[in-house]
C-alpha cells in the first residue's frame, strides 16, 4: 500500500499577545477623546470661531466656573436631586414591573395606558408638574423620577420571560412567594432590569437639566446654563457640556461596577456555555 505524502503543515503566525491591562484600559478610555481634542485644537488654530472656542479656552472656563465653591453650592445640589430621582425611578419601576409582569390579566389591562404615557415626551410634563407641585426641589425630583419607563418596561418583560418550568417547580416545592421573588424572579429578570436602569440613567441626566432650565434659580446647573446663554459665554457653555459628560462618565463607571456584582452569576453562566 503506497503511502501518500502529506502536505507540510503551514504554521500560522501566533496571535499578538494582548497588551497589559494597565496599558490597554487607558488607551481604550482616552484614545478617542485625545484624538478629538487634537483635531479640535488644529481646526480652532487655522479657522478660529467664537462659537467653537479652542479646547484650551474651554479648559480655562471649566476651571474658572466649576473648580471652586460653585461646585459645592450649585453642582452638588443638582447631583443630589439626580440621585434621589433616579433611585425613585428604579424602585418604582422595578416594583410595578414585578407586579404587572407577574399577572397576565394586569398586563393586558395596563398595556394601552403604558403605550399612551410612554409616548409623551418627558419635557412636556414639566409645565404640568410645575403647576401641581410648584418650582421647588420636589418638582425637579418628580421630573427626574419620570425616567422610570425603561426600568418599568424592561422589568415587565424580564418577569414575563421567567421559565415557566422553574415557576412550577418552585410552586410544587411550596416555596413562599417572598422566596420565589428573591431567588427566582428577580435573578432571572435582572439582566433586563439592569438594561432598563442603564437607559434610565441617561434619561434622568437629561431630565435633571431640563427641570432646572424651566425655572432657573440659583443652586442648580440650569441656572448657570441660562446665565451663560444670555451672556453669549460660549466657552462657559462648552464647559457645562464637558461637566455633564464627566458626570455621565462617572455614572457609567459606577453602573458597570454594580452590574458586574449583580450579574456575576449571569456572566459566569454565559462563559460556561461558550466553553
Amino acid at each position: 500500500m503506497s503511502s501518500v505524502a502529506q502536505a507540510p503543515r503551514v504554521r500560522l503566525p501566533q496571535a499578538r499577545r494582548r497588551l497589559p491591562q494597565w496599558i490597554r484600559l487607558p488607551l481604550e478610555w482616552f484614545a478617542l477623546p485625545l484624538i478629538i481634542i487634537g483635531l479640535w485644537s488644529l481646526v480652532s488654530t487655522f479657522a478660529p470661531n467664537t462659537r467653537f472656542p479652542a479646547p484650551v479656552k474651554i479648559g480655562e472656563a471649566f476651571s474658572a466656573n466649576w473648580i471652586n465653591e460653585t461646585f459645592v453650592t450649585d453642582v452638588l445640589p443638582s447631583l443630589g436631586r439626580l440621585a434621589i430621582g433616579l433611585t425613585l425611578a428604579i424602585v418604582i419601576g422595578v416594583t410595578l414591573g414585578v407586579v404587572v409582569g407577574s399577572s397576565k390579566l394586569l398586563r393586558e389591562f395596563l398595556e394601552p395606558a403604558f403605550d399612551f404615557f410612554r409616548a409623551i415626551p418627558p419635557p412636556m410634563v414639566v409645565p404640568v408638574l410645575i403647576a401641581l407641585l410648584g418650582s421647588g426641589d420636589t418638582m425637579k425630583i418628580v421630573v427626574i423620577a419620570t425616567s422610570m419607563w425603561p426600568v418599568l418596561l424592561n422589568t415587565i418583560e424580564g418577569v414575563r420571560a421567567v421559565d415557566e418550568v422553574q415557576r412550577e417547580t418552585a410552586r410544587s416545592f411550596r416555596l413562599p412567594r417572598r422566596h420565589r421573588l428573591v431567588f427566582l424572579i428577580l435573578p432571572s429578570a435582572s439582566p433586563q432590569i439592569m438594561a432598563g436602569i442603564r437607559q434610565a440613567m441617561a434619561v434622568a441626566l437629561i431630565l435633571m437639566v431640563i427641570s432646572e432650565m424651566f425655572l432657573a434659580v440659583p443652586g442648580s446647573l440650569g441656572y448657570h446654563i441660562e446665565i451663560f446663554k444670555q451672556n453669549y459665554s460660549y466657552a462657559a457653555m462648552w464647559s457645562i457640556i464637558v461637566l455633564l459628560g464627566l458626570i455621565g462618565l462617572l455614572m457609567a463607571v459606577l453602573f458597570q461596577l454594580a452590574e458586574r456584582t449583580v450579574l456575576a452569576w449571569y456572566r459566569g453562566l454565559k462563559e460556561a456555555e461558550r466553553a
Side-chain angles (χ1 to χ4, degrees), residues 18-29 260:
R18 298 182 66 183
L19 292 173
Q21 188 175 14
W22 64 274
I23 296 178
R24 188 177 71 255
L25 287 180
L27 287 176
E28 294 176 353
W29 281 80
R260 288 179 182 177

Side-chain angles (χ1 to χ4, degrees), residues 104-235:
K104 181 179 179 181
L105 180 61
L106 200 56
R107 285 199 307 269
E108 294 176 351
F109 178 73
L110 293 177
E111 187 173 2
F114 287 162
D115 291 337
F116 175 81
F117 284 109
R118 70 176 176 179
I120 300 175
M124 297 298 296
V125 304
V126 177
V128 178
L129 292 177
I130 291 175
L132 294 175
L133 303 175
S135 59
D137 290 347
T138 302
M139 179 274 296
K140 298 171 184 176
I141 291 173
V142 172
V143 170
I144 297 170
T146 58
S147 61
M148 70 173 185
W149 288 107
V151 183
L152 172 62
L153 298 177
N154 277 274
T155 302
I156 292 174
E157 293 302 317
V159 172
R160 189 176 68 173
V162 174
D163 188 8
E164 194 62 32
V165 175
Q166 294 180 352
R167 288 179 184 269
E168 292 299 329
T169 303
R171 292 193 190 98
S172 65
F173 279 99
R174 298 182 180 179
L175 292 179
R177 289 188 177 182
R178 184 180 71 255
H179 290 177
R180 278 181 278 169
L181 174 64
V182 174
F183 298 109
L184 174 60
I185 295 176
L186 287 179
S188 299
S190 58
Q192 288 188 259
I193 293 175
M194 297 303 290
I197 294 175
R198 179 188 291 274
Q199 298 172 20
M201 288 170 59
V203 177
L205 185 59
I206 296 171
L207 291 177
M208 179 197 74
V209 176
I210 292 174
S211 66
E212 294 177 351
M213 288 179 64
F214 262 83
L215 293 172
V217 294
S220 65
L221 279 173
Y223 172 76
H224 289 276
I225 293 174
E226 290 298 319
I227 294 297
F228 295 153
K229 182 180 69 174
Q230 294 173 6
N231 295 328
Y232 297 96
S233 302
Y234 294 111

Side-chain angles (χ1 to χ4, degrees), residues 77-92:
S78 295
L79 295 180
R81 289 187 289 268
L82 174 63
I84 296 172
L86 184 58
T87 302
L88 287 175
I90 294 172
V91 172
I92 296 173

